[in-house]
Amino acid sequence: MQSSVGGCKMSLGLLFNGLLVSIIAALLWEYSKLREHAAVLQEKLHMPQKSQDFTQDPMDYHIALQTLHEDGTRMVCSSKMHTDRICRFDYLCYCTEGDEFVFFHSNSSFMLPNLGSRRFQPSLLDMSSVEDHNTQFFNFLELPTAALKFLSKPVFVPDVTFIFNRFNPDNIMHVFHDDILPAFYTMKLYLDLDEKARLVFMEGWSEGPHFDLYKLLSSRQPLLKDHLKDFGKLICFIKSYVGVSKMTTWYQYGFVQPQGPKANILVSGTEIRQFSKAFMVKMNITRIEEADKDADNGEDESKKDEYIVLFTRLTTRLILNEGELITALAQEFQMKVFKVSLEEQSFSTIVQLLSDASMLVSMHGAQLITSIFLPRGAVVVELFPFAINPEQYSPYKTLATLPDMDLHYFSWRNIKKENSVAHPDRSWEQGGIAHLENEEQERILASKEVSKHLCCRNPEWLFRIYQDTLIDIPSLLGVLKEGMKSRLRFKKSKHTSKIHPGRVREPQCQTSVQSTDKAQLIISWKIPWNLKYLKVKEVKYEVWIQEQGENTYMPYILQQQNFTFSENIKPFTTYMVWVRCIFNNNLLGPFAEVLVCRT
Ligand code: UDP
């Protein structure tokens, strides 16, 4: 590590050498080339030509430098746990040669949480939304501000900067689930991470095929780690946030246990759909509002413009009888079928199409993340190659079945080995198994289902998931018809509110003793304060009664706001009573403060 910081320890002599070399180069090289390079850099940051005096005002540079010297770095973070932490910094620096962030200590610095060496156990925070992954840990080196005089002149980044790692920018599912959705909501959390925020991706990858989507997060060009060294050896972010929220992620990829839905999902379809709506605006896509469509023009009328989207892949995990499938879908449902692929259509064309589709049919794969753009009530049908159990690979099922996502998810799996074409001779990444021992190859070939496994290189899983499939049309149509039926039921059922009741108010308890073995509890309360503003189909109340000292309680469901309990109520006994309101059978309110009733 020391040698890495050493990289930033540029003496002034070296700096002048560098300058001399560049002056000579400028004379010798084609002038236009240098200008072009400068223009590209400038474009990247939207910064003035000499990036070190970022406002072109030497005074501002001077002030920034003075502030760094005097105040050093300051940090304040959220959360006690490194896996939930996002940190805000003033004057966090990054040494490009050493590939290290630097925290400069001055008499005015602060660092909250101040963890001492615990900040290395295992890290201060996760740089990506993938939890506790050791390739994603963030930390910084510490230096006194006095060391600044030995380092290269810092370049200041004036924008509020949002620094995190993309997890797998080549894969469209990862792009949305791990990066864009988390970034979108992190930017909602911190007010100054606005339209003008500068995103900096530190994972070290190149732009990747979906960079245009990342660009939609802010009006400024995002920077890659690789870009930073074009600006200098020591980059100081005047204000920055490091880390990204995990609140919106719903899936874990199987690093410590087989892949599956996250244990504690905190996002609902509402937030996913608000994101999709905002993102479509950024893509200049307008969706026909569901409300407009529902202005009921009768079933047949509306069916005319319903359509199915078949999302295909052109290189791997192919559907071998696409033509036959398209004809069968069109005939069965009397709807148009559009075939799309990431290779052939632009992303915005696909989103536009999906935003009004009735059904999306696709092989398992990253392209299914585009279900976030489907309208409410649409059907998602995910196809699985032979020997893959759909239940064990469920990122898209989990997404589609999030509360309030309002999608109808169905899976279909190929159970006929003869309808499957495998590729044992491909590279291991694409499911090849030729590199394995013969015995292992035979075991894989004979197996009828891949058993649960960890990420990410299980050869049997890769072999099976990269098979091409001849779809058995009648068996698939069976699944699709179920899907369409469920869609129809959904259409008929009216949307119900998702608003929860408040506490019941002024709960009261009166008691009376009838005889030596008979007593009564008269419990009453007022409606929750928000009820008078709502149209609720069904309002009920739940009352729990517990005798003091007992472990169990008696639950009651009531329609009215008072009740006289006499069953099992004993004289001269203390009871604890809790009351709460329930809307439409499943929307629970909080319990009011406990009543202590003595008979
Ligand atoms: N991909 C594609 N067509 C193909 C194969 C892959 O568009 O024929 C895309 C796929 O949607 C994903 C990326 O390439 O965005 C990587 O695909 P891979 O098969 O590695 O991942 P998976 O789809 O299984 O998540």
Side-chain angles (χ1 to χ4, degrees):
M1 271 203 212
Q2 273 207 324
S3 65
S4 357
V5 200
C8 258
K9 258 187 206 168
M10 279 287 292
S11 68
L12 276 180
L14 269 179
L15 184 79
F16 283 127
N17 275 348
L19 276 176
L20 259 181
V21 171
S22 50
I23 291 165
I24 295 165
L27 290 172
L28 296 178
W29 276 36
E30 273 177 76
Y31 179 62
S32 64
K33 273 216 165 148
L34 279 179
R35 273 187 59 145
E36 201 179 293
H37 181 65
V40 170
L41 278 190
Q42 202 187 337
E43 216 282 308
K44 272 182 201 154
L45 259 186
H46 291 281
M47 270 163 72
Q49 218 134 6
K50 283 189 203 154
S51 44
Q52 69 189 31
D53 39 9
F54 57 86
T55 59
Q56 278 180 329
D57 180 350
M59 258 319 280
D60 283 356
Y61 184 80
H62 178 74
I63 291 169
L65 192 63
Q66 198 179 351
T67 315
L68 174 61
H69 274 276
E70 283 171 11
D71 293 352
T73 309
R74 295 169 161 189
M75 174 188 99
V76 55
C77 307
S78 66
S79 181
K80 287 186 189 170
M81 302 284 295
H82 78 273
T83 49
D84 277 333
R85 192 169 289 147
I86 295 177
C87 293
R88 184 198 160 95
F89 291 90
D90 293 326
Y91 290 90
L92 173 68
C93 297
Y94 174 71
C95 167
T96 55
E97 285 191 338
D99 184 19
E100 296 276 6
F101 283 94
V102 185
F103 185 107
F104 284 104
H105 282 272
S106 80
N107 288 339
S108 309
S109 289
F110 48 80
M111 192 193 283
L112 199 66
N114 201 326
L115 293 166
S117 60
R118 279 174 297 157
R119 98 182 148 78
F120 309 114
Q121 292 167 3
S123 92
L124 181 63
L125 56 84
D126 292 337
M127 280 278 264
S128 84
S129 70
V130 174
E131 187 145 318
D132 216 6
H133 195 289
N134 58 10
T135 63
Q136 308 293 323
F137 290 159
F138 169 83
N139 242 310
F140 46 72
L141 288 178
E142 292 162 89
L143 280 178
T145 45
L148 277 164
K149 60 176 173 288
F150 304 111
L151 302 179
S152 306
K153 240 185 145 191
V155 170
F156 292 101
V157 177
D159 318 310
V160 179
T161 309
F162 180 15
I163 303 170
F164 66 97
N165 283 0
R166 298 177 300 167
F167 190 70
N168 181 359
D170 286 350
N171 180 304
I172 191 77
M173 185 275 177
H174 288 280
V175 168
F176 279 103
H177 178 269
D178 308 343
D179 309 336
I180 294 187
L181 258 159
F184 179 85
Y185 278 108
T186 307
M187 291 173 79
K188 297 267 172 267
L189 184 58
Y190 300 105
L191 272 184
D192 49 353
L193 281 182
D194 57 15
E195 267 290 302
K196 293 194 180 110
R198 174 80 62 185
L199 276 69
V200 179
F201 304 137
M202 290 303 292
E203 78 290 333
W205 292 41
S206 60
E207 288 189 351
H210 307 294
F211 203 61
D212 282 348
L213 297 175
Y214 291 96
K215 283 191 195 166
L216 297 176
L217 285 166
S218 124
S219 61
R220 294 209 198 281
Q221 172 83 4
L223 291 179
L224 302 176
K225 182 173 172 174
D226 213 35
H227 292 147
L228 295 181
K229 62 177 178 298
D230 294 341
F231 297 108
K233 292 196 162 64
L234 187 62
I235 318 285
C236 294
F237 303 98
I238 291 184
K239 284 197 186 307
S240 63
Y241 290 85
V242 182
V244 64
S245 166
K246 297 183 175 75
M247 208 77 88
T248 58
T249 57
W250 61 85
Y251 206 69
Q252 61 82 14
Y253 302 124
F255 297 112
V256 285
Q257 68 193 79
Q259 63 170 276
K262 270 175 51 172
N264 186 14
I265 296 179
L266 302 172
V267 69
S268 85
T270 304
E271 293 70 40
I272 303 280
R273 287 187 175 284
Q274 290 297 352
F275 160 80
S276 308
K277 201 159 122 185
F279 217 63
M280 284 169 65
V281 171
K282 287 177 194 276
M283 284 189 280
N284 277 333
I285 297 172
T286 43
R287 154 187 278 164
I288 306 164
E289 279 302 323
E290 277 128 47
D292 296 347
K293 279 206 330 185
D294 285 352
D296 233 0
N297 26 1
E299 186 116 317
D300 285 346
E301 190 64 29
S302 65
K303 202 167 177 178
K304 260 190 215 153
D305 40 3
E306 288 199 33
Y307 57 85
I308 297 170
V309 175
L310 176 66
F311 210 142
T312 65
R313 301 165 52 112
L314 297 194
T315 41
T316 59
R317 213 172 300 149
L318 306 179
I319 294 172
L320 295 171
N321 51 343
E322 273 173 21
E324 194 189 348
L325 175 57
I326 290 170
T327 314
L329 290 174
Q331 274 177 1
E332 179 66 38
F333 299 106
Q334 294 296 302
M335 287 185 199
K336 276 195 192 139
V337 181
F338 294 100
K339 187 181 105 168
V340 298
S341 68
L342 289 175
E343 291 95 336
E344 287 172 311
Q345 277 78 26
S346 71
F347 193 72
S348 59
T349 308
I350 295 173
V351 171
Q352 173 88 67
L353 201 58
L354 286 175
S355 72
D356 202 25
S358 302
M359 186 191 283
L360 166 61
V361 181
S362 171
M363 269 288 167
H364 168 81
Q367 64 286 347
L368 269 165
I369 191 69
T370 54
S371 337
I372 63 173
F373 297 106
L374 285 168
R376 288 184 191 278
V379 179
V380 179
V381 183
E382 182 172 11
L383 315 173
F384 286 85
F386 177 74
I388 302 285
N389 180 348
E391 287 306 314
Q392 284 160 28
Y393 309 94
S394 56
Y396 313 109
K397 177 184 180 176
T398 309
L399 165 65
T401 55
L402 286 177
D404 303 334
M405 195 62 203
D406 291 340
L407 292 173
H408 305 266
Y409 174 90
F410 296 86
S411 66
W412 173 90
R413 67 193 279 194
N414 176 21
I415 50 167
K416 296 181 177 169
K417 197 174 186 174
E418 65 276 16
N419 283 354
S420 197
V421 176
H423 301 282
D425 298 322
R426 285 188 181 163
S427 68
W428 70 265
E429 293 104 317
Q430 291 202 347
I433 51 169
H435 63 289
L436 301 175
E437 300 276 331
N438 280 346
E439 212 172 293
E440 180 62 358
Q441 291 188 32
E442 277 157 27
R443 187 194 65 76
I444 291 176
L445 290 169
S447 149
K448 290 196 175 62
E449 186 171 309
V450 180
S451 30
K452 286 190 176 182
H453 56 89
L454 293 182
C455 187
C456 309
R457 294 185 170 202
N458 182 294
E460 184 179 351
W461 147 252
L462 292 169
F463 175 71
R464 290 304 185 187
I465 197 61
Y466 280 113
Q467 294 170 114
D468 302 329
T469 306
L470 191 86
I471 306 289
D472 180 76
I473 306 276
S475 92
L476 176 59
L477 283 184
V479 173
L480 299 185
K481 279 190 235 168
E482 268 314 301
M484 279 302 189
K485 266 193 230 155
S486 122
R487 178 177 152 75
L488 221 60
R489 278 197 300 274
F490 171 86
K491 270 189 153 180
K492 284 188 181 143
S493 71
K494 276 265 164 273
H495 272 292
T496 48
S497 161
K498 301 288 186 292
I499 294 176
H500 292 255
R503 282 164 190 265
V504 299
R505 288 171 313 140
E506 297 171 38
Q508 281 178 2
C509 170
Q510 288 174 326
T511 57
S512 68
V513 174
Q514 260 75 41
S515 63
T516 48
D517 59 350
K518 274 190 180 168
Q520 284 185 335
L521 288 180
I522 304 136
I523 315 284
S524 64
W525 57 89
K526 290 189 175 155
I527 61 166
W529 181 80
N530 61 348
L531 180 54
K532 59 178 178 287
Y533 302 102
L534 301 170
K535 276 187 194 154
V536 184
K537 242 189 346 199
E538 212 171 351
V539 181
K540 286 182 187 164
Y541 297 93
E542 186 170 12
V543 179
W544 290 4
I545 301 178
Q546 182 179 41
E547 187 182 323
Q548 196 174 42
E550 295 291 321
N551 290 326
T552 55
Y553 60 88
M554 296 173 289
Y556 299 87
I557 297 281
L558 306 167
Q559 316 268 355
Q560 67 274 38
Q561 284 158 246
N562 56 61
F563 195 75
T564 304
F565 296 89
S566 45
E567 226 175 280
N568 301 321
I569 303 297
K570 297 182 255 177
F572 316 113
T573 308
T574 304
Y575 291 94
M576 326 278 249
V577 180
W578 291 267
V579 187
R580 71 174 164 192
C581 182
I582 304 174
F583 289 168
N584 301 333
N585 287 321
N586 58 9
L587 294 164
L588 305 178
F591 281 109
E593 66 270 31
V594 61
L595 294 172
V596 181
C597 320
R598 174 90 190 150
T599 54

Coordinates of all heavy atoms in Angstrom, one line a residue, residues 260-303:
G260 N -31.4 -16.9 -4.6 CA -32.8 -16.8 -4.2 C -33.2 -15.4 -3.8 O -32.4 -14.5 -3.8
P261 N -34.5 -15.2 -3.5 CA -35.0 -13.9 -3.1 C -34.3 -13.5 -1.8 O -33.9 -14.3 -1.0 CB -36.5 -14.1 -2.8 CG -36.8 -15.4 -3.4 CD -35.6 -16.2 -3.6
K262 N -34.0 -12.2 -1.6 CA -33.4 -11.7 -0.4 C -34.2 -12.0 0.8 O -35.5 -12.1 0.7 CB -33.1 -10.2 -0.5 CG -31.8 -9.9 -1.1 CD -31.6 -8.4 -1.3 CE -31.9 -7.5 -0.1 NZ -31.5 -6.1 -0.4
A263 N -33.6 -12.2 1.9 CA -34.4 -12.6 3.1 C -35.4 -11.5 3.5 O -36.4 -11.8 4.0 CB -33.4 -12.9 4.2
N264 N -35.0 -10.3 3.4 CA -35.8 -9.2 3.9 C -36.0 -8.2 2.8 O -35.3 -7.2 2.7 CB -35.2 -8.6 5.1 CG -36.0 -7.6 5.8 OD1 -37.2 -7.5 5.5 ND2 -35.4 -6.8 6.6
I265 N -37.0 -8.5 1.9 CA -37.2 -7.6 0.8 C -37.9 -6.3 1.3 O -38.9 -6.4 2.0 CB -38.0 -8.3 -0.3 CG1 -37.2 -9.5 -0.9 CG2 -38.4 -7.3 -1.5 CD1 -37.9 -10.3 -2.0
L266 N -37.4 -5.2 0.9 CA -37.9 -3.9 1.4 C -38.6 -3.0 0.4 O -39.0 -1.9 0.6 CB -36.8 -3.1 2.1 CG -36.1 -3.8 3.2 CD1 -34.9 -3.0 3.7 CD2 -37.0 -4.0 4.4
V267 N -38.6 -3.6 -0.9 CA -39.2 -2.8 -2.0 C -40.5 -3.4 -2.4 O -40.7 -4.6 -2.3 CB -38.2 -2.7 -3.1 CG1 -38.0 -4.1 -3.8 CG2 -38.5 -1.6 -4.2
S268 N -41.4 -2.6 -2.9 CA -42.6 -3.1 -3.5 C -42.7 -2.6 -4.9 O -42.0 -1.8 -5.4 CB -43.8 -2.6 -2.7 OG -44.2 -1.3 -3.2
G269 N -43.7 -3.2 -5.6 CA -44.0 -2.8 -7.0 C -44.2 -1.3 -7.1 O -43.9 -0.7 -8.2
T270 N -44.7 -0.7 -6.1 CA -44.9 0.8 -6.2 C -43.6 1.5 -6.5 O -43.6 2.3 -7.4 CB -45.6 1.3 -4.9 OG1 -46.7 0.5 -4.7 CG2 -45.9 2.8 -5.0
E271 N -42.6 1.2 -5.8 CA -41.3 1.9 -6.0 C -40.7 1.5 -7.3 O -40.1 2.4 -8.0 CB -40.3 1.7 -4.9 CG -40.8 2.2 -3.5 CD -42.0 1.5 -2.9 OE1 -42.0 0.2 -3.0 OE2 -42.9 2.1 -2.4
I272 N -40.8 0.2 -7.7 CA -40.3 -0.2 -8.9 C -41.0 0.5 -10.1 O -40.4 1.1 -11.0 CB -40.4 -1.7 -9.1 CG1 -39.8 -2.5 -8.0 CG2 -39.9 -2.2 -10.5 CD1 -38.4 -2.7 -8.0
R273 N -42.3 0.6 -10.0 CA -43.1 1.3 -11.0 C -42.8 2.8 -11.1 O -42.8 3.4 -12.1 CB -44.5 0.9 -10.9 CG -44.8 -0.5 -11.3 CD -46.3 -0.8 -11.3 NE -46.5 -2.1 -11.8 CZ -46.5 -2.5 -13.1 NH1 -46.1 -1.6 -14.0 NH2 -46.7 -3.8 -13.4
Q274 N -42.6 3.4 -9.9 CA -42.3 4.8 -9.9 C -41.0 5.1 -10.6 O -40.8 6.0 -11.4 CB -42.2 5.4 -8.5 CG -43.6 5.5 -7.8 CD -44.6 6.4 -8.4 OE1 -44.3 7.1 -9.4 NE2 -45.8 6.4 -8.0
F275 N -40.1 4.2 -10.4 CA -38.8 4.3 -11.1 C -39.0 4.1 -12.6 O -38.5 4.9 -13.4 CB -37.8 3.2 -10.5 CG -36.7 2.9 -11.5 CD1 -35.6 3.8 -11.5 CD2 -36.7 1.9 -12.4 CE1 -34.5 3.6 -12.4 CE2 -35.7 1.7 -13.3 CZ -34.6 2.5 -13.3
S276 N -39.7 3.1 -13.0 CA -39.9 2.8 -14.4 C -40.5 4.0 -15.1 O -40.1 4.4 -16.2 CB -40.7 1.5 -14.6 OG -40.2 0.5 -13.9
K277 N -41.5 4.6 -14.4 CA -42.2 5.7 -15.0 C -41.2 6.9 -15.2 O -41.1 7.4 -16.3 CB -43.3 6.1 -14.0 CG -44.4 6.9 -14.6 CD -45.6 6.8 -13.7 CE -46.1 8.2 -13.2 NZ -47.2 8.1 -12.2
A278 N -40.4 7.2 -14.2 CA -39.5 8.3 -14.3 C -38.4 7.9 -15.4 O -38.0 8.8 -16.1 CB -38.8 8.5 -13.0
F279 N -38.0 6.7 -15.5 CA -37.0 6.3 -16.4 C -37.5 6.4 -17.8 O -36.8 6.8 -18.8 CB -36.5 4.9 -16.1 CG -35.0 4.7 -16.3 CD1 -34.1 5.5 -15.5 CD2 -34.5 3.9 -17.3 CE1 -32.7 5.3 -15.7 CE2 -33.2 3.7 -17.5 CZ -32.3 4.5 -16.7
M280 N -38.8 6.1 -18.0 CA -39.4 6.2 -19.3 C -39.5 7.6 -19.8 O -39.3 7.9 -20.9 CB -40.8 5.5 -19.3 CG -40.6 4.0 -19.4 SD -42.2 3.1 -19.1 CE -43.1 3.6 -20.5
V281 N -39.8 8.5 -18.8 CA -39.8 9.9 -19.2 C -38.4 10.3 -19.7 O -38.2 11.0 -20.7 CB -40.2 10.8 -18.0 CG1 -40.0 12.3 -18.2 CG2 -41.6 10.5 -17.6
K282 N -37.4 9.9 -19.0 CA -36.0 10.2 -19.4 C -35.7 9.6 -20.8 O -34.9 10.2 -21.5 CB -35.0 9.7 -18.4 CG -35.0 10.5 -17.1 CD -34.0 9.9 -16.1 CE -34.2 10.5 -14.7 NZ -33.6 11.7 -14.4
M283 N -36.3 8.5 -21.1 CA -36.0 7.9 -22.4 C -37.0 8.5 -23.5 O -37.0 8.0 -24.6 CB -36.2 6.4 -22.3 CG -35.1 5.6 -21.7 SD -35.2 3.8 -21.8 CE -36.4 3.4 -20.6
N284 N -37.8 9.5 -23.1 CA -38.8 10.1 -24.0 C -39.8 9.1 -24.4 O -40.3 9.1 -25.6 CB -38.1 10.6 -25.2 CG -37.5 12.0 -24.9 OD1 -38.1 12.7 -24.1 ND2 -36.5 12.4 -25.6
I285 N -40.2 8.2 -23.6 CA -41.3 7.2 -23.9 C -42.5 7.6 -23.1 O -42.5 7.8 -21.9 CB -40.8 5.8 -23.5 CG1 -39.6 5.4 -24.3 CG2 -42.0 4.8 -23.7 CD1 -39.0 4.1 -23.9
T286 N -43.6 7.7 -23.8 CA -44.9 7.9 -23.1 C -45.7 6.6 -23.2 O -45.9 6.0 -24.2 CB -45.7 9.1 -23.8 OG1 -45.6 8.9 -25.2 CG2 -45.1 10.4 -23.4
R287 N -46.2 6.3 -22.0 CA -47.1 5.1 -21.9 C -48.5 5.6 -22.0 O -48.8 6.6 -21.4 CB -46.7 4.4 -20.6 CG -47.9 3.6 -20.1 CD -47.5 3.0 -18.7 NE -46.7 1.9 -18.8 CZ -46.0 1.4 -17.8 NH1 -46.0 2.0 -16.6 NH2 -45.3 0.2 -17.9
I288 N -49.3 4.8 -22.7 CA -50.8 5.1 -22.6 C -51.2 4.8 -21.2 O -51.1 3.7 -20.7 CB -51.5 4.2 -23.6 CG1 -50.9 4.3 -25.0 CG2 -53.0 4.5 -23.6 CD1 -51.3 3.2 -25.9
E289 N -51.7 5.9 -20.5 CA -52.0 5.7 -19.1 C -53.1 4.6 -19.0 O -54.1 4.6 -19.7 CB -52.5 7.0 -18.5 CG -51.3 7.9 -18.1 CD -50.4 7.2 -17.1 OE1 -50.9 6.5 -16.2 OE2 -49.2 7.5 -17.2
E290 N -52.9 3.8 -18.0 CA -53.8 2.7 -17.7 C -55.3 3.2 -17.6 O -56.2 2.7 -18.1 CB -53.5 1.9 -16.5 CG -52.4 0.9 -16.8 CD -51.2 0.9 -15.9 OE1 -51.4 1.0 -14.7 OE2 -50.1 0.9 -16.4
A291 N -55.3 4.4 -17.0 CA -56.7 5.0 -16.7 C -57.4 5.2 -18.1 O -58.6 4.9 -18.2 CB -56.5 6.3 -16.0
D292 N -56.6 5.7 -19.0 CA -57.3 6.0 -20.3 C -57.8 4.7 -21.0 O -58.9 4.6 -21.5 CB -56.2 6.6 -21.3 CG -55.8 7.9 -20.8 OD1 -56.4 8.4 -19.9 OD2 -54.7 8.4 -21.3
K293 N -57.0 3.6 -20.8 CA -57.4 2.4 -21.4 C -58.6 1.8 -20.8 O -59.5 1.2 -21.4 CB -56.2 1.4 -21.3 CG -55.2 1.6 -22.4 CD -54.4 0.3 -22.8 CE -54.3 -0.6 -21.7 NZ -53.4 -1.7 -22.0
D294 N -58.7 2.0 -19.4 CA -59.8 1.4 -18.7 C -61.1 2.1 -18.9 O -62.1 1.7 -18.5 CB -59.5 1.4 -17.2 CG -58.4 0.3 -16.9 OD1 -58.2 -0.5 -17.8 OD2 -57.9 0.2 -15.8
A295 N -61.0 3.2 -19.6 CA -62.3 3.9 -19.9 C -63.1 3.0 -20.8 O -63.1 3.1 -22.0 CB -62.0 5.2 -20.6
D296 N -63.6 2.0 -20.2 CA -64.1 0.7 -20.8 C -64.8 0.8 -22.1 O -65.9 1.4 -22.2 CB -65.0 0.0 -19.8 CG -64.5 -1.4 -19.6 OD1 -63.5 -1.8 -20.2 OD2 -65.1 -2.2 -18.8
N297 N -64.1 0.3 -23.1 CA -64.8 0.3 -24.4 C -65.2 -1.2 -24.7 O -65.2 -1.6 -25.9 CB -63.9 0.9 -25.5 CG -62.5 0.8 -25.2 OD1 -62.1 0.3 -24.1 ND2 -61.6 1.3 -26.1
G298 N -65.4 -1.9 -23.7 CA -65.9 -3.3 -23.9 C -64.7 -4.2 -24.2 O -63.7 -3.8 -24.7
E299 N -64.9 -5.5 -23.8 CA -63.8 -6.5 -23.9 C -63.2 -6.6 -25.3 O -62.1 -6.5 -25.5 CB -64.4 -7.8 -23.4 CG -63.3 -8.8 -23.3 CD -63.1 -9.2 -21.9 OE1 -63.1 -8.4 -21.0 OE2 -63.0 -10.4 -21.7
D300 N -64.1 -6.8 -26.3 CA -63.7 -7.1 -27.7 C -62.9 -5.9 -28.2 O -61.9 -6.1 -28.9 CB -64.8 -7.4 -28.6 CG -65.3 -8.8 -28.3 OD1 -64.6 -9.6 -27.6 OD2 -66.4 -9.2 -28.7
E301 N -63.5 -4.7 -28.0 CA -62.8 -3.5 -28.5 C -61.4 -3.4 -28.0 O -60.5 -3.2 -28.7 CB -63.7 -2.3 -28.0 CG -63.3 -1.0 -28.6 CD -63.6 -0.9 -30.1 OE1 -64.5 -1.6 -30.5 OE2 -62.9 -0.2 -30.7
S302 N -61.2 -3.6 -26.6 CA -59.9 -3.4 -26.1 C -59.0 -4.5 -26.5 O -57.8 -4.4 -26.6 CB -60.0 -3.4 -24.5 OG -60.4 -4.6 -24.0
K303 N -59.5 -5.7 -26.8 CA -58.7 -6.8 -27.2 C -58.0 -6.6 -28.5 O -56.9 -7.1 -28.8 CB -59.5 -8.1 -27.3 CG -58.7 -9.4 -27.1 CD -59.5 -10.6 -26.9 CE -58.6 -11.8 -26.8 NZ -59.2 -13.0 -26.6

